[in-house]
Structure formats: structure tokens, C-alpha cells
Amino acid sequence: MDLRLKGKRALISGSSRGIGYAVARALVEEGCRVAINGRSPKQLAAAAKALKASVGIRGDVSRPREASMVVRKAVAALGGLDILVCNVGSGRSVPPGKEDAGEWQRVFEINLWSATNLVEAAQKYLALTKGVVVCISSICGLEVVPGAPVTYSAAKAAIHAMIRGLARPLGKMGIRINGVAAGNIIHENSIWARKLKQQPLKTKKLLREEVALQRLGQPKEVADLVLFLASPRAAFATGAVWMLDGGQARTG
């Protein structure tokens, strides 16, 4: 299927590795002009070099001023903006019941403000192109996942509320916004890579019992769904959170 993405201009946050990198690579392969983002100069430079058709923009998008700077630099480098993928996030936090004010703030900065800052900064540019926003989220924001940090789950639930709540005002500007609630995705340095290495039998047992497809997902599989949602093929889709979890979640 031709996704009609050739020539589109995209900014992907948190894209020097993992899911964000896979999304950036897939967009490049579809003929997009891509700006990637990260905080580590070394990782960012290596990723931009590997992707070839990319420009790397360093910045911590959980900070409003830096997020605005990243968007401005992306627009300047690409000549405009058609696609924004909000990917920054981390599921690392304290066990349920151990939260304090500092941890709530830290986790919300990473998992929520990183998206709200970018959406706010990019709106005026996306309105010019009738652009698209796709937020990478988690099934932890849809239901209680045993053992998942409450801070992380609450931040992802807030992302889903943001997506649904902004769909109408952004729609009036011609902008679509959707989310991908991912399940257990494995990539280098991910939580699941560590668990599989440290507790292989326990991890495989969990997959057999809790995931319908009995396996972990791959970043490329997330990227494929993001590409569809970012494309004109999904022109009637907005305000929705799409599950991609191999059949783990019990609720829709």
C-alpha cells in the first residue's frame, strides 16, 4: 500500500534509539524528510548519521523552552512540518505505593509534559500543513497492569485524555491527533531486554499467560502503525488511542 508520505516533513522526539529510532527509520524509508531528537549528543549524532536523510536536534522536550527550540529548529531545517511524533517516555519509576512528590513530578515531566510541550509548540506549524500528531503511549494508561509504576500509568492515562480532549480544537485547525498504546516492546536497553536477560523463565511464563500472541513486540511493529496513522490513508482517524499489545489488555 502506498501511504503517500513521500516528501512529508516529520519531527520525532526521543528518536536516537528504540521505538523513536524505528519510527524515524520507517519514515525515511517512506521518503520523508526527518528531524530526530534526543538529549545525548553522541547518540544523536550516530543516529542521524545512520539514518542519512535526517537532521539531529539536541534538546530536552520535557522543558517548554527547549521543546519550542526543537520545533523551531526542525521547521527551519525541513522547511515546514507535516508530522509530529511524541515519543519521549520512560516506564522506570518506584514500585506502587512508594511514590512521593518528586517522583510524580519527574515521571510526568518525561511522559506527559514532553508531549504537551511539543504539541503546543508545533500547533501553528501543523495548522499550515493540515498536519498530524501521533503520541506513543502504553496500555498502562488504559488499565491496571500488575506491577507497573502508578506514576507511569497515570501519566499515560493523562496522555490519552489529552489526545481525546484536543481532537476537536485541533480538528478545527485541520490537525489530526492519535495515540498508540503499546504493550511490551523489546529493544536494546529496554526494560524487557533486561528482564529477558535476568529472568528468562519468569518473563517467558508471563508472556505465555498474559499475552495472546505469547511474545514481545518489536519497534518496527510500532513504527508501522505510526506510519499508517500519520498518512493520508488514516485521514478520518483522530482522537483515538490504538492498542498494539499482542492481545494483552483486557479492556478496549
Side-chain angles (χ1 to χ4, degrees):
M1 178 187 292
D2 179 10
L3 293 176
R4 307 206 300 268
L5 286 170
K6 187 174 182 179
K8 297 290 186 182
R9 299 154 297 184
L11 166 62
I12 307 97
S13 66
S15 45
S16 62
R17 62 180 183 175
I19 292 173
Y21 181 82
V23 171
R25 176 177 289 281
L27 285 166
V28 168
E29 290 172 353
E30 288 292 323
C32 293
R33 297 168 60 196
V34 171
I36 62 173
N37 156 256
R39 293 182 298 179
S40 166
K42 185 176 180 180
Q43 285 184 347
L44 194 60
K49 182 178 180 180
L51 290 172
K52 297 179 181 177
S54 301
V55 56
I57 304 173
R58 183 186 177 193
D60 181 354
V61 297
S62 72
R63 309 296 181 184
R65 289 185 180 180
E66 290 193 47
S68 294
M69 175 271 294
V70 168
V71 170
R72 289 196 304 271
K73 285 189 175 182
V75 170
L78 302 175
L81 189 64
D82 302 285
I83 300 166
L84 170 65
V85 180
C86 301
N87 173 68
V88 170
S90 172
R92 291 180 170 87
S93 186
V94 297
K98 301 295 183 180
E99 307 83 9
D100 60 21
E103 185 64 1
W104 280 106
Q105 180 64 27
R106 185 189 72 83
V107 175
F108 267 62
E109 283 180 354
I110 296 170
N111 291 287
L112 180 59
W113 311 146
S114 62
T116 59
N117 290 340
L118 285 172
V119 172
E120 179 184 357
Q123 279 185 40
K124 60 184 178 181
Y125 303 109
L126 292 171
L128 295 174
T129 61
K130 308 302 180 187
V132 184
V133 179
V134 182
C135 299
I136 307 301
S137 185
S138 167
I139 59 170
C140 292
L142 296 172
E143 65 181 33
V144 175
V145 176
V150 178
T151 50
Y152 176 72
S153 301
K156 292 306 185 184
I159 284 275
H160 300 164
M162 179 198 76
I163 290 167
R164 297 181 182 112
L166 286 181
R168 292 194 179 211
L170 291 182
K172 292 178 181 179
M173 302 166 67
I175 303 169
R176 295 189 297 109
I177 181 168
N178 290 285
V180 175
N184 303 322
I185 309 298
I186 186 169
H187 55 82
E188 186 180 3
N189 298 319
S190 70
I191 290 173
W192 288 101
R194 188 180 74 241
K195 286 184 176 181
L196 200 58
K197 182 177 181 180
Q198 296 176 349
Q199 299 177 310
L201 296 180
K202 182 179 179 180
T203 302
K204 290 175 182 177
K205 182 175 183 291
L206 182 147
L207 294 173
R208 286 196 306 271
E209 295 177 352
E210 299 297 331
V211 182
L213 296 184
Q214 300 185 17
R215 68 173 177 87
L216 296 165
Q218 298 293 324
K220 178 62 167 62
E221 293 173 306
V222 180
D224 287 341
L225 181 52
V226 171
L227 259 62
F228 172 72
L229 293 174
S231 79
R233 297 290 186 180
F236 199 50
T238 196
V241 178
W242 301 67
M243 284 196 299
L244 187 73
D245 66 348
Q248 180 177 354
R250 296 329 194 239
T251 57

